Amino acid sequence: MTELASSKIPVTVITGFLGAGKTTLVRHLLAHAKGKRIALIINEFGELGVDKEILAGCGDETCREEDMIELSNGCICCTVADEFIPTMQALLEREDRPDHIVIETSGLALPQPLIRAFNWPEIKSEVTIDGVVTVADAAALSEGRFANDEQAVDALRSADAMLDHETPLGELFEDQLIAADMVILNKADLVTDAELDTIEAHLKAEMRPGTGVVRARNGHVDVAALLGMGLSTEDNLAGRESHHELEHGGEGHEHDDFDSFSVTLDGVTGKDHLLATIEATIRAHDVLRLKGFAALPGAPARLAIQAVGPRVTAYFDRPWKPGERRQTALVVIGESPLDHAAITRSLEAAVAAAA
């Protein structure tokens, strides 16, 4: 039995809410893999392959570009049979099989259907879940970002850093926590130690007993703690049921509560104006998440943009490639329905002629 388990390729599933820092954690993992060759499956929510572009090249020999597989325009938990299983089969048929597989799920994904998929006969004998890692955003939790009623957040924040509202976002977050073997409390440097203690206490109330919590800054976690757990999670499903499974006895779910679309801009006037426009748009239209790339006048490199709520971060990630079209492309994600036209008009203020 031990020999059979050891012959399987270990898989780490990294899940977590929108903007918690999953991609940053994966970048760190690839950069510190110490020669272990990793295949990466990225599940995007939205039309643009932003996460793959951010990760491309950061692992070099440990994760070549051909080892990065992207599943777009569909949440991985909703497309297990149609996309995930065939993708895994194709990966396992390669002659140069990877040492380890990392799956970065969409921020809207339920981990439970994906975990159960590892018991499908097509792949069960070949792979095993080494561990499920859920990334949580300490700064967002301290701001009560999972409540729809902002007045309620203001009234209850001092007493409860994680509000107990049964909103779609709250249920999704709880489902990601209950499925975890390890929780990474990311962005710990953005809140006080007292706030961290309160947040961690609330997290533990939603987690299965024995689940570890690691505090992190910028996704920096010892790779030895992330890889090599050896838990065979697919064989230990008890206590990981999602809200839907508990309430309806099924595994299906819908993402009608979320909306996503992309905006392309040509001729932005400058970095500060663009970021200010993005922040103003997010505040005006209650956008949950925005990410993408920008082309700035005279800049030889593209600007990577990540926004969680009103917090916007940006950095130059790589030079523009020869012949590559230089344009600004953004993915907008929020609770449905988003006003596509109004948000697009608001973002287009970034290309207004400087006067």
Side-chain angles (χ1 to χ4, degrees):
M1 193 71 167
T2 303
E3 290 182 3
L4 178 61
S6 64
S7 68
K8 296 182 179 182
I9 298 176
V11 179
T12 298
V13 176
I14 298 179
T15 186
F17 198 67
L18 296 166
K22 299 185 298 297
T23 302
T24 303
L25 178 67
V26 173
R27 282 177 61 91
H28 175 76
L29 187 158
L30 295 179
H32 297 83
K34 298 180 179 179
K36 188 185 296 287
R37 196 161 68 78
I38 295 174
L40 179 62
I41 298 176
I42 310 161
N43 180 215
E44 284 277 21
F45 188 88
E47 300 171 11
L48 300 175
V50 174
D51 290 348
K52 182 179 179 182
E53 282 294 310
I54 291 173
L55 291 165
C58 69
D60 298 325
E61 294 181 0
T62 63
C63 185
R64 305 166 304 179
E65 189 160 355
E66 59 265 33
D67 293 329
M68 295 187 183
I69 303 168
E70 185 177 38
L71 304 179
S72 304
N73 286 322
C75 186
I76 195 170
C77 57
C78 304
T79 59
V80 164
D82 294 335
E83 289 195 59
F84 174 67
I85 296 297
T87 295
M88 288 294 289
Q89 288 178 298
L91 185 59
L92 295 171
E93 288 170 359
R94 293 184 181 181
E95 291 186 7
D96 54 342
R97 304 208 319 176
D99 301 315
H100 200 106
I101 300 171
V102 173
I103 301 174
E104 180 193 344
T105 73
S106 157
L108 305 180
L110 284 175
Q112 287 83 355
L114 177 60
I115 295 171
R116 295 181 190 280
F118 281 80
N119 284 312
W120 284 42
E122 291 92 335
I123 63 172
K124 183 172 178 58
S125 64
E126 302 287 337
V127 292
T128 182
I129 299 179
D130 186 58
V132 177
V133 177
T134 295
V135 186
D137 184 336
L141 292 174
S142 72
E143 297 169 1
R145 290 295 299 169
F146 299 108
N148 290 325
D149 186 343
E150 292 297 329
Q151 290 184 344
V153 173
D154 291 335
L156 298 175
R157 182 179 297 162
S158 60
D160 191 345
M162 273 186 57
L163 301 180
D164 191 26
H165 291 301
E166 288 297 309
T167 64
L169 296 182
E171 288 188 6
L172 172 60
F173 183 64
E174 290 167 5
D175 289 342
Q176 292 174 345
L177 287 176
I178 202 70
D181 296 305
M182 176 187 293
V183 173
I184 305 298
L185 189 53
N186 198 29
K187 307 180 187 179
D189 52 317
L190 301 182
V191 297
T192 66
D193 289 342
E195 288 174 317
L196 279 173
D197 291 340
T198 301
I199 293 167
E200 190 168 318
H202 283 284
L203 291 178
K204 288 182 176 179
E206 302 294 342
M207 291 154 42
R208 290 175 301 106
T211 303
V213 179
V214 177
R215 299 179 180 183
R217 302 181 178 189
N218 298 315
H220 288 186
V221 179
D222 188 344
V223 172
L226 292 174
L227 306 183
M229 296 186 202
L231 296 177
S232 298
T233 303
E234 71 277 10
D235 295 327
N236 299 285
L237 298 174
R240 300 179 194 259
E241 293 84 1
S242 68
H243 277 267
H244 187 90
E245 290 168 337
L246 292 173
E247 294 171 9
H248 304 289
E251 297 180 20
H253 69 286
E254 300 294 336
H255 286 315
D256 294 339
D257 295 304
F258 303 96
D259 190 5
S260 172
F261 71 100
S262 60
V263 178
T264 300
L265 307 173
D266 289 304
V268 299
T269 58
K271 177 182 176 181
D272 292 343
H273 182 44
L274 172 62
L275 299 184
T277 300
I278 288 173
E279 181 178 344
T281 301
I282 288 171
R283 291 185 183 277
H285 297 279
D286 200 25
V287 172
L288 290 173
R289 182 85 164 92
L290 184 147
K291 57 184 178 179
F293 306 102
L296 300 180
R302 68 180 188 180
L303 186 73
I305 299 170
Q306 298 276 352
V308 183
R311 295 193 308 276
V312 183
T313 59
Y315 60 93
F316 291 102
D317 72 325
R318 66 162 174 80
W320 291 103
K321 297 176 182 178
E324 184 176 10
R325 184 178 179 185
R326 300 190 181 192
Q327 64 178 13
T328 298
L330 306 171
V331 174
V332 181
I333 303 171
E335 290 191 84
S336 182
L338 289 174
D339 190 333
H340 293 209
I343 292 172
T344 299
R345 285 195 300 270
S346 181
L347 291 171
E348 285 174 345
V351 302

